[in-house]
Amino acid sequence: MNNNISTTNAERGNRKQNPLTSGDLRNFSGDLERFRHALNRNVIYTPGVQYVAEKGEAYWLIDAIASWIGSEPFNEAVAKDDRIGEMHFWTLRRIQGNAATLEAKADSPEKPFIVQDIEFTDFPLDKIDIWAGFDGKHWTLYLPSEH
């Protein structure tokens, strides 16, 4: 797994000039490369999620999701709905100005089992979905196009 990510000042400036777009996300499809989360070692993620973190300056988003996976509220939700223990769906949505909400659901029509209010974000998209699937050993975070 490659965790060697360059973050020079020139690259940071380039990300501000060329922000992440939803069109960028469609360019990612299934890939075998994975990145391991530094704190929750049971969480790995795909190049598409890595791209979102790098280009959207949103490593905090991966951290937020990884911090919920395996938490007490997460485990309680899994005990009530075993689908969550296999796959679930995260959505970050801007709600007003720079405030956003991060939610996790077992499926689209279901009520979220985790809701985190985010008072401020400069994330460039109004909405992003990240899916989480369990392979028996790791939780893999990936973009819908990578499924």
Side-chain angles (χ1 to χ4, degrees):
M1 287 186 220
N2 180 3
N3 286 323
N4 222 357
I5 305 301
S6 176
T7 55
T8 66
N9 286 336
E11 289 170 330
R12 284 188 192 118
N14 191 31
R15 285 192 303 264
K16 291 293 185 187
Q17 292 172 1
N18 301 309
L20 178 70
T21 67
S22 53
D24 294 339
L25 306 183
R26 290 188 292 269
N27 294 325
F28 291 93
S29 59
D31 192 314
L32 296 177
E33 183 178 14
R34 298 291 180 263
F35 302 86
R36 185 176 305 278
H37 190 266
L39 299 176
N40 186 340
R41 306 299 282 169
N42 294 322
V43 173
I44 58 178
Y45 50 96
T46 61
V49 173
Q50 169 64 27
Y51 182 84
V52 167
E54 177 72 13
K55 184 88 171 183
E57 297 182 356
Y59 283 99
W60 60 268
L61 178 56
I62 299 172
D63 291 346
I65 294 170
S67 71
W68 282 110
I69 293 176
S71 69
E72 187 175 331
F74 179 85
N75 291 335
E76 289 172 2
V78 170
K80 293 176 186 172
D81 186 341
D82 58 353
R83 295 176 300 170
I84 295 167
E86 296 176 14
M87 186 170 190
H88 56 276
F89 308 92
W90 294 85
T91 301
L92 176 72
R93 181 177 287 112
R94 186 177 319 278
I95 53 174
Q96 184 178 8
N98 288 86
T101 300
L102 178 63
E103 296 180 340
K105 294 181 177 184
D107 207 348
S108 295
E110 305 291 327
K111 290 186 177 185
F113 63 91
I114 290 175
V115 177
Q116 179 178 347
D117 293 325
I118 299 168
E119 291 183 28
F120 177 86
T121 180
D122 60 357
F123 188 68
L125 303 177
D126 288 334
K127 178 183 178 264
I128 187 167
D129 293 311
I130 296 178
W131 295 1
F134 190 62
D135 65 8
K137 186 174 180 182
H138 297 103
W139 282 99
T140 302
L141 305 181
Y142 56 96
L143 300 175
S145 65
E146 293 177 297
H147 184 66

